[in-house]
Amino acid sequence: MNGSRSRLLVFQIGAILVLITFVFRLWHLQILKGDYYKVLSEKNRLRLVQTEALRGIIYDRWGRPLVRNTPSYTVSITPAYLPEEEGERRQVLRRLSELLFSSGKSAALASPVRASPDLEALVKEGMKNPYKPIVVKKNVDRETAFFLQQEHLSFPGVQVEVEPIREYISSTLFSHIIGYTGLIPKEWEASYREKGYDLSRDKVGLTGIEFVYEDYLKGEKGQKLVEVDASGREIRTIGYERAPIPGYSLYLTIDWDLQAMVKEALEEGMKKAQSPVGVAIVMDPRNGQILAMVSLPSYDNNLFARGISYEDYSKLEKDPNHPLVNHAIIGQYPTGSTFKIVPATAALEEGVITEKSYLNCEGILWVPNQYFPDDPTLAQPFYCWIHRYGKGHGPINVIDALVHSCDIFFYKVAGGFKDFRGLGLDRLVYWARLFGFGEKTGIDLPGESKGLVPTADWKRLNYGEVWVLGDTYNMAIGQGFFLATPLQILNATAAIANGGTLYRPKLLYKMVDHEGNVVEEFKPEIIRTLPASEKTIALVRRGLRETVIRGTAWRTNWPDIPVAGKTGTAEFYGPRGPKGDLPTHAWFTGFAPYENPKIALVVFLQGGGGGSENAVPIAAKIIRYYFDYLDWERQP
Amino acid sequence: MSTTRFFLDSGGAKKPNWRFLLLLLFLGFLLSAFYRAKLLNPVQDLILRITTPAQYGISIASSFLRQTVVSIEELRHLREENEKLKKELERLIIENVQLRELEAENRNLRELLRFTQENPAFDYTAARVTARVIGFDPSGFTRYVLINAGQREGVLPGMAVVTERGLVGRVVDVYHTASKVLLITDPTSSIAAYLQGSQATGMVEGTPEGMLIMRYIPLEAKVSVGEIALTAGLGGTLPKGLVIGQVIEIERKDYAPFQEVRIKPSVNFDRLELVLVLKGGKASIPEEEGH
């Protein structure tokens, strides 16, 4: 009796002690550290998550969309939500596998993670982190995605996620202009991390307009407050702290119809001339707006938007004609006679010649050897193209030299001959630079080339040789070391067309926010005004007009549209023809109408033979189309 | 109060004044005896003669009083009657309501019947909505109804539940004699659908406000307000061609991945009483115009 009593007492005391400890602990947790734990638990439960902003889209100048944010459907499995029971789980996985990977479904668009992955193995692997979704298949077709979403109750643990991906409409037609988006490349990571990008997920413009206007297109991410459970998975959205703001949309200066037509004409012309690479650009010479820009071969930028396979990429990479390169701004070529507008303008302006100066062309010009000027056997011959036909142009003035593209006239004008003092290298270089050669035009596209305006210093540095008269001669007719991009030639022509102003070529017509308010509008940007008198420019313009009327560009001579222009046939070092002559690029550059030009254009065919035969017909088609169907200023 | 003398001493003694009471009684007895024996007639005469004019006035007053008393009594009567009539009216109203409900149900049934007759290929179970569950689960609001048909009637999960006006929802859980139906207005419900006019396809999902949104409609689809949304089927447990609702608003942005349209459900979810569970049969409903 006594023993049991004392035992009871001990037990009671023990119980009371335990209770006191509990109460104290409770008091400590609730009263003393309550606030601290409250904050902690709130943090645990609520989390701010970034929400993606929709990327702005890109239109042609009339508001026709060139890209869409197309939904792409991804099917994934969250192992934690699969049925507990082995048999049921197997069944879900089997049905899913049949649905996604059976041969019955077209697998053209879909890029399976594996041919037909062993889902059970995937799930087993994923069980280490059961709340992390495992991607089973990307780019699932709409119908399958819809079916899975509709029947989600009978597919526990299977989710369909929708993410917008870029879909380029008429992709190969615009890919060099628009470019594409993709994940941030390794070498850019640091700078993009600084800007607040999520390197694992965010897609950015990698080239083209998508790259140049990335900051405007990307929009502003939002933030939402989500509730998470202990394992960190989102249970539900509590609210939006900040809704995402879609990016700005861009209107390009490009006219879709013209672009399509230019491509068609260029393709046809390339086939005829058997040229592997071609470029055609159309510009408004009054302000620098690019109306069409085609570089062939092209590529499908949708391949990149969806995530290009290694095979596809290396095929494009290894193609000798570089379809990924926009030759209109990156390709650097000898320009041939299209460059002659520069020495013509320079010589007239610098007083080297006047309209009435006649220089003789005998078809061949012997340049005496520097060190043995009296030994004719050491003299170097320079030919005019007409020499092939065993004659020369005879006495010729600047207008006719442009019309017939006389080489010897320009040799003499640029480098001088005997007692006729020409421009000389420095003045030729100076004027070439004024016309925009040797520098980027600054068009809103990445990767533009500078071209090359050679100087004596440059030659010494690169070749260890002295600059000679022959180098100046060659440069005067756009040969030798001189290189330019098709866009540079076009911009120089546009400056002649508009009376001497060099505009910065631009592709951005306007920018609007997601509600359609205009954020930015095109404004012409002048690079420089040529220091040439109206009279000089007028003379060169007349030379180009006469070239069409009675010269090498006669194929664009119509009574209703007065065209002016200049052809070019530029030799380059390639496989020689049957007669041992070098292959040539075909060029044409020009503008129309002659009096108040609305368009200027350039056509370039790599290895395309003669400009007059092969480049002019393409230009003719483009100009005709523009004035017959497009000229929106004449349309009511 | 002096009158308390009858019962109480002014001192408040609780003894009744027996003597006085007895005296009163005796006097009264005497008077009535005299009166009966006509011994009091002369006295009466005298009194009458003196009091007649007063009497007249009193009679007028008294008749008024009497009348009043009568009307009070009548009032009591009327009240009772009123009470009765009210009860009757209530009964009639209830009956009327019941009749109307029966009529509505009848119409409902007729319509359901017509629906079943128009779609003879289906196998149906009619059921009554017995409860609505507006629950709250981690994903937000949920919208279910319970119906009184279950395993016993051959109901299975995934079956479509309709009224004659269109799709109500789908069976999610089945018990012995009841089933849980997830309404199409629930945020977790997605139904593959197409629009009758434009043939645009998409998914109809519920919104937290209890409306319907059709998402994933391609941008190039020419959708118009007023189009009817129908189930697309896609070979699941949902047949093709069940009416879902009508387009009331279109949201289309060039930069958005797809168009979204708001859809007004054709079923009135506030008055859901009788429904049909589609237990299979053929997989589509013939399209009919003029729904």
Side-chain angles (χ1 to χ4, degrees):
Chain A
M1 192 72 197
N2 232 356
S4 71
R5 233 206 177 143
S6 65
R7 254 181 300 183
L8 191 66
L9 192 71
V10 168
F11 176 74
Q12 276 176 337
I13 288 167
I16 284 165
L17 276 175
V18 168
L19 205 65
I20 285 169
T21 333
F22 277 154
V23 169
F24 176 77
R25 182 76 184 133
L26 186 71
W27 172 76
H28 179 256
L29 284 178
Q30 286 285 352
I31 314 293
L32 287 188
K33 302 202 93 176
D35 286 345
Y36 167 76
Y37 281 113
K38 186 161 183 263
V39 169
L40 214 62
S41 76
E42 289 283 324
K43 233 196 274 182
N44 210 345
R45 219 154 45 77
L46 301 179
R47 189 179 297 167
L48 272 178
V49 181
Q50 283 194 325
T51 51
E52 299 303 314
L54 281 167
R55 195 174 177 86
I57 62 161
I58 301 165
Y59 301 96
D60 87 333
R61 79 186 285 129
W62 307 115
R64 291 174 282 195
L66 307 174
V67 57
R68 286 205 187 106
N69 294 319
T70 298
S72 153
Y73 301 92
T74 303
V75 174
S76 50
I77 298 176
T78 309
Y81 302 146
L82 283 169
E84 299 274 309
E85 207 263 310
E86 184 79 21
E88 280 178 58
R89 191 170 62 222
R90 278 235 170 93
Q91 219 205 353
V92 167
L93 294 179
R94 197 174 46 77
R95 293 207 334 267
L96 183 66
S97 185
E98 264 169 33
L99 194 67
L100 295 180
F101 304 104
S102 71
S103 51
K105 289 248 179 249
S106 88
L109 254 184
S111 54
V113 177
R114 270 155 245 185
S116 174
D118 180 358
L119 294 187
E120 290 195 37
L122 272 180
V123 168
K124 224 171 231 121
E125 214 173 300
M127 275 301 184
K128 290 172 204 139
N129 190 354
Y131 288 108
K132 190 166 177 275
I134 308 162
V135 172
V136 178
K137 193 178 179 186
K138 286 188 165 183
N139 296 326
V140 174
D141 63 285
R142 262 166 65 92
E143 194 158 303
T144 307
F146 284 2
F147 179 81
L148 271 171
Q149 250 175 309
Q150 176 175 295
E151 307 295 324
H152 69 97
L153 291 165
S154 53
F155 287 96
V158 179
Q159 304 90 33
V160 181
E161 277 158 52
V162 190
E163 61 159 343
I165 57 161
R166 294 299 244 188
E167 182 196 8
Y168 299 103
I169 301 154
S170 235
S171 67
T172 53
L173 183 57
F174 296 102
S175 51
H176 286 127
I177 297 170
I178 293 178
Y180 49 83
T181 59
L183 290 169
I184 297 160
K186 277 264 178 294
E187 56 271 25
W188 299 357
E189 279 184 357
S191 63
Y192 277 82
R193 191 183 292 119
E194 239 166 78
K195 289 188 196 168
Y197 282 88
D198 176 348
L199 299 180
S200 64
R201 276 204 327 207
D202 288 348
K203 287 187 170 173
V204 297
L206 296 177
T207 180
I209 289 285
E210 292 268 37
F211 168 80
V212 173
Y213 292 102
E214 168 68 26
D215 291 348
Y216 301 98
L217 286 164
K218 72 168 195 277
E220 250 180 79
K221 285 183 182 179
Q223 283 190 320
K224 63 175 179 181
L225 205 55
V226 293
E227 195 175 327
V228 291
D229 64 7
S231 58
R233 71 188 166 98
E234 292 177 27
I235 303 173
R236 66 189 174 113
T237 303
I238 290 180
Y240 285 88
E241 292 277 294
R242 208 177 53 225
I245 303 167
Y248 293 159
S249 289
L250 314 178
Y251 288 71
L252 301 183
T253 51
I254 300 285
D255 179 306
W256 188 329
D257 297 326
L258 185 65
Q259 178 86 358
M261 192 274 141
V262 166
K263 184 185 178 198
E264 204 179 300
L266 185 63
E267 265 172 347
E268 209 174 307
M270 283 164 69
K271 215 176 274 162
K272 231 179 243 159
Q274 295 191 325
S275 156
V277 174
V279 168
I281 317 171
V282 185
M283 181 199 262
D284 187 332
R286 295 163 302 180
N287 50 33
Q289 288 181 16
I290 302 285
L291 306 180
M293 178 187 274
V294 177
S295 165
L296 294 174
S298 185
Y299 68 99
D300 181 355
N301 47 355
N302 281 321
L303 289 176
F304 289 86
R306 292 198 199 104
I308 193 163
S309 71
Y310 181 75
E311 297 86 70
D312 282 340
Y313 184 72
S314 58
K315 208 163 73 192
L316 287 168
E317 244 327 77
K318 289 188 178 113
D319 187 319
N321 297 318
H322 305 295
L324 292 176
V325 171
N326 182 0
H327 297 273
I329 60 163
I330 297 170
Q332 309 179 88
Y333 310 99
T335 59
S337 311
T338 50
F339 179 71
K340 287 173 185 168
I341 54 174
V342 176
T345 310
L348 285 165
E349 192 60 33
E350 300 275 354
V352 172
I353 51 162
T354 67
E355 188 188 349
K356 296 185 181 67
S357 313
Y358 283 84
L359 300 173
N360 198 24
C361 163
E362 292 127 354
I364 189 163
L365 187 67
W366 292 97
V367 175
N369 185 294
Q370 273 176 280
Y371 308 104
F372 308 98
D374 298 333
D375 186 349
T377 55
L378 291 175
Q380 202 190 344
F382 280 80
Y383 301 97
C384 183
W385 63 268
I386 203 163
H387 182 260
R388 249 177 298 176
Y389 306 99
K391 55 180 178 177
H393 286 107
I396 193 166
N397 69 352
V398 67
I399 297 277
D400 283 351
L402 285 168
V403 169
H404 302 297
S405 203
C406 173
D407 295 327
I408 287 181
F409 178 89
F410 285 102
Y411 293 153
K412 290 178 174 175
V413 158
F417 184 69
K418 292 187 174 154
D419 49 7
F420 172 74
R421 196 168 162 271
L423 278 165
L425 176 66
D426 290 353
R427 284 193 292 181
L428 184 60
V429 166
Y430 169 73
W431 277 91
R433 291 194 168 279
L434 281 177
F435 271 92
F437 294 100
E439 65 174 14
K440 294 179 179 185
T441 65
I443 189 174
D444 38 3
L445 282 177
E448 197 186 357
S449 302
K450 281 185 179 172
L452 176 60
V453 178
T455 60
D457 285 348
W458 173 88
K459 191 183 177 189
R460 203 173 14 254
L461 279 172
N462 287 274
Y463 287 81
E465 284 173 18
V466 189
W467 187 271
V468 294
L469 179 62
D471 293 327
T472 311
Y473 280 6
N474 279 331
M475 185 173 157
I477 61 160
Q479 295 279 182
F481 302 116
F482 179 81
L483 296 172
T485 67
L487 184 62
Q488 285 173 328
I489 283 287
L490 172 60
N491 220 25
T493 306
I496 291 293
N498 67 31
T501 308
L502 211 64
Y503 287 102
R504 189 166 315 289
K506 273 197 185 158
L507 284 160
L508 184 69
Y509 190 48
K510 75 180 170 188
M511 208 184 300
V512 298
D513 69 12
H514 68 285
E515 284 162 347
N517 309 309
V518 176
V519 185
E520 195 176 308
E521 247 178 330
F522 173 87
K523 281 192 293 292
E525 190 188 327
I526 296 172
I527 297 174
R528 75 178 65 87
T529 307
L530 296 177
S533 66
E534 258 178 69
K535 194 172 153 228
T536 299
I537 301 276
L539 266 178
V540 178
R541 291 179 88 249
R542 213 178 85 215
L544 299 187
R545 174 71 186 127
E546 305 270 329
T547 305
V548 170
I549 296 170
R550 54 191 180 85
T552 50
W554 54 271
R555 284 181 180 83
T556 56
N557 191 17
W558 302 296
D560 59 335
I561 313 165
V563 182
K566 183 78 202 77
T567 57
T569 302
E571 289 183 338
F572 65 101
Y573 289 100
R576 286 176 186 267
K579 288 182 187 164
D581 39 11
L582 286 170
T584 56
H585 300 315
W587 287 89
F588 173 80
T589 179
F591 55 90
Y594 172 55
E595 288 305 338
N596 293 298
K598 291 178 181 177
I599 59 166
L601 79 166
V602 66
V603 174
F604 163 83
L605 297 177
Q606 182 186 307
S612 179
E613 306 83 77
N614 292 331
V616 176
I618 297 171
K621 266 192 211 148
I622 295 168
I623 298 166
R624 266 287 28 137
Y625 177 81
Y626 177 85
F627 287 101
D628 291 348
Y629 298 103
L630 283 190
D631 188 7
W632 49 84
E633 286 162 22
R634 272 201 312 184
Q635 283 166 4
Chain B
M1 283 171 72
S2 53
T3 46
T4 49
R5 280 255 178 93
F6 289 117
F7 291 98
L8 309 167
D9 286 337
S10 49
K14 287 186 181 81
K15 255 201 189 149
N17 207 334
W18 290 117
R19 261 204 234 153
F20 183 72
L21 273 177
L22 277 172
L23 189 73
L24 263 182
L25 263 171
F26 179 71
L27 272 176
F29 180 73
L30 221 67
L31 268 173
S32 64
F34 282 171
Y35 183 76
R36 287 225 176 143
K38 312 274 199 241
L39 283 173
L40 282 177
N41 270 359
V43 183
Q44 226 180 336
D45 260 16
L46 186 78
I47 292 174
L48 274 175
R49 218 164 277 164
I50 293 165
T51 56
T52 297
Q55 188 98 60
Y56 181 70
I58 288 172
S59 99
I60 286 176
S62 74
S63 88
F64 169 77
L65 267 173
R66 200 179 304 116
Q67 290 233 337
T68 311
V69 168
V70 165
S71 71
I72 285 175
E73 281 209 355
E74 254 180 22
L75 198 64
R76 218 177 48 226
H77 243 21
L78 275 175
R79 210 174 264 160
E80 275 169 18
E81 205 165 350
N82 192 342
E83 220 45 47
K84 262 219 285 279
L85 283 172
K86 266 198 186 152
K87 279 213 171 79
E88 177 72 0
L89 184 66
E90 251 168 47
R91 197 180 59 75
L92 283 172
I93 285 175
I94 289 169
E95 203 167 284
N96 192 0
V97 168
Q98 281 172 338
L99 282 170
R100 265 189 216 204
E101 275 196 7
L102 278 172
E103 193 190 15
E105 192 167 303
N106 192 337
R107 204 174 38 227
N108 224 322
L109 282 166
R110 267 171 207 277
E111 278 166 346
L112 288 183
L113 184 69
R114 195 166 56 87
F115 182 84
T116 61
Q117 281 166 343
E118 278 168 0
N119 303 295
F122 278 107
D123 179 11
Y124 302 97
T125 289
R128 182 181 293 280
V129 173
T130 52
R132 318 139 182 263
V133 186
I134 305 269
F136 197 75
D137 84 1
S139 62
F141 284 106
T142 52
R143 292 187 178 80
Y144 296 105
V145 293
L146 290 172
I147 57 171
N148 63 355
Q151 269 160 358
R152 197 176 55 183
E153 287 79 8
V155 177
L156 293 171
M159 283 181 174
V161 176
V162 299
T163 70
E164 78 289 343
R165 297 177 74 173
L167 183 64
V168 172
R170 303 168 74 199
V171 175
V172 284
D173 291 326
V174 183
Y175 314 105
H176 186 56
T177 58
S179 307
K180 201 155 115 182
V181 178
L182 180 69
L183 300 183
I184 53 173
T185 50
D186 182 278
T188 63
S189 158
S190 349
I191 307 281
Y194 71 97
L195 296 172
Q196 201 171 22
S198 55
Q199 296 288 311
T201 55
M203 298 295 287
V204 172
E205 294 172 358
T207 68
E209 303 83 50
M211 280 297 291
L212 295 175
I213 293 247
M214 183 162 164
R215 291 199 165 93
Y216 313 130
I217 301 169
L219 280 185
E220 55 269 28
K222 301 258 186 297
V223 180
S224 45
V225 170
E227 282 196 74
I228 307 282
L230 302 161
T231 57
L234 298 185
T237 47
L238 267 183
K240 186 177 179 223
L242 294 171
V243 179
I244 296 169
Q246 215 171 2
V247 177
I248 53 172
E249 201 185 325
I250 299 165
E251 167 134 349
R252 186 189 180 287
K253 295 269 192 220
D254 279 346
Y255 55 78
F258 36 73
Q259 301 184 66
E260 287 187 359
V261 304
R262 285 174 71 80
I263 289 181
K264 185 173 178 290
S266 56
V267 171
N268 184 349
F269 285 99
D270 298 335
R271 304 203 32 201
L272 216 48
E273 280 163 13
L274 288 167
V275 296
L276 290 173
V277 183
L278 302 188
K279 286 167 40 180
K282 61 172 199 272
S284 81
I285 297 237
E287 269 203 33
E288 52 168 312
E289 298 305 316
H291 241 288

